[in-house]
Amino acid sequence: MRYILLLGPPGCGKGTQVELLKKEGFKVLITGDILRNEIEKNSLLGERIKRIVNKGELVPDDLIVELMETIIKEDTSSDKDIIIDGYPRTVGQVEGFLKNHSDEKIIAVYLKVDKDILKKRLTGRRVCPVCKRVYHIEYNPPKNDMKCDVCNEPLIIRKDDEPEVIENRLSVYDKQTQPIVELFENKGLLRVIDAQRTISEIFTDIKEILM
Ligand code: AP5
């Protein structure tokens, strides 16, 4: 059993790829969705997370490490690889993760995309509020009139896809997440994918890594 960590800036296509992997039967954990589900519960914790996420900041390391490691533990009942989108995302989270899992079980996959492309992807993103499927008004539009292909629900814009929040998320990424790419590279655990190509080309590369 291995941990495949999908790394990369907001909008690089982690969620899109994870959705395709899930459809093919891979086991996936999507940190952003786990946090958004907590927000939807309207719990005290959800309220706290909501304030952070809507500003484009990161949820504190101790909270994320505890939450994610609990979920990962529940999920290691089988020998299947686990693909994780969005955790770990800071040096502190990597330290927390490495305390619990050994290097030889880890592959970090970095989806590399230039900043100007990221902004176009994020401003044009639309999501289904029910099944969370991700679309893009230009690059990956729904079949019918901005409604989800699966649920037929009108698509929405994520709160953190407002232009000023996008700017902050990209800058938080540069400061707090990009350093972990180097960290995994120095450990010899990093695979880099050119994620400026089509969704299916990237998917083929990821599946090759998973073979
Ligand atoms: P999260 O939901 O993980 O957001 P993110 O990392 O900012 O990533 P995104 O979901 O924005 O982008 P993506 O890479 O999944 O791209 P997508 O596939 O949608 O986290 C949200 C927030 O939660 C964080 O800001 C933070 O507050 C908190 N959080 C999460 N994890 C945390 C952690 N570990 N620690 C602390 N806080 C945490 O694609 C984007 C668009 O591009 C879509 O419209 C898609 O259709 C399109 N697209 C995708 N691929 C292509 C392609 N190849 N060509 C053209 N268009 C494409």
Side-chain angles (χ1 to χ4, degrees), residues 8-17 30-33 35-36 52-54 56-61 64 68 85-90 93 121-122 124-126 134-137 139-140 158 160-161 169 195-199 202:
C12 69
K14 302 180 294 294
T16 302
Q17 296 299 327
I30 305 168
T31 315
D33 281 354
L35 294 174
R36 283 183 285 274
I52 298 169
V53 170
N54 286 354
E57 302 291 332
L58 295 183
V59 174
D61 284 352
I64 283 288
M68 292 306 291
D85 163 5
Y87 170 78
R89 192 181 288 236
T90 64
Q93 292 179 22
R121 286 191 187 174
L122 291 169
R125 171 164 57 189
R126 300 293 181 271
V134 179
Y135 298 85
H136 190 281
I137 49 174
Y139 309 136
N140 187 19
R158 258 170 56 172
D160 58 350
D161 277 346
R169 285 164 63 206
Q196 301 196 163
R197 296 168 300 150
T198 64
I199 291 171
I202 299 161

Side-chain angles (χ1 to χ4, degrees), residues 12-85:
C12 69
K14 302 180 294 294
T16 302
Q17 296 299 327
V18 151
E19 205 172 279
L20 295 173
L21 290 161
K22 195 174 168 186
K23 258 196 218 155
E24 292 216 352
F26 288 96
K27 202 170 182 182
V28 305
L29 289 179
I30 305 168
T31 315
D33 281 354
I34 291 167
L35 294 174
R36 283 183 285 274
N37 285 341
E38 198 58 51
I39 292 173
E40 276 170 23
K41 285 185 203 160
N42 285 324
S43 60
L44 272 180
L45 177 64
E47 272 303 315
R48 185 176 163 210
I49 293 172
K50 182 176 165 182
R51 283 194 295 274
I52 298 169
V53 170
N54 286 354
K55 281 192 283 187
E57 302 291 332
L58 295 183
V59 174
D61 284 352
D62 52 349
L63 199 161
I64 283 288
V65 173
E66 194 188 333
L67 179 72
M68 292 306 291
E69 291 303 326
T70 307
I71 294 171
I72 291 170
K73 247 186 225 133
E74 285 164 6
D75 243 309
T76 43
S77 45
S78 81
D79 261 0
K80 260 184 142 183
D81 291 343
I82 303 182
I83 296 153
I84 308 178
D85 163 5

Side-chain angles (χ1 to χ4, degrees), residues 182-200:
E182 238 170 73
L183 201 156
F184 282 115
E185 188 174 25
N186 293 339
K187 282 180 152 289
L189 303 175
L190 190 74
R191 305 287 295 269
V192 182
I193 290 183
D194 170 5
Q196 301 196 163
R197 296 168 300 150
T198 64
I199 291 171
S200 65

Side-chain angles (χ1 to χ4, degrees), residues 147-193:
K147 289 187 175 156
C148 178
D149 294 347
V150 182
C151 312
N152 208 34
E153 275 295 309
L155 302 179
I156 58 164
I157 300 177
R158 258 170 56 172
K159 283 260 186 313
D160 58 350
D161 277 346
E162 302 295 339
E164 64 283 6
V165 185
I166 289 176
E167 285 297 335
N168 191 37
R169 285 164 63 206
L170 292 172
S171 118
V172 165
Y173 173 84
D174 284 341
K175 285 189 212 118
Q176 300 192 57
T177 308
Q178 189 61 30
I180 77 168
V181 173
E182 238 170 73
L183 201 156
F184 282 115
E185 188 174 25
N186 293 339
K187 282 180 152 289
L189 303 175
L190 190 74
R191 305 287 295 269
V192 182
I193 290 183

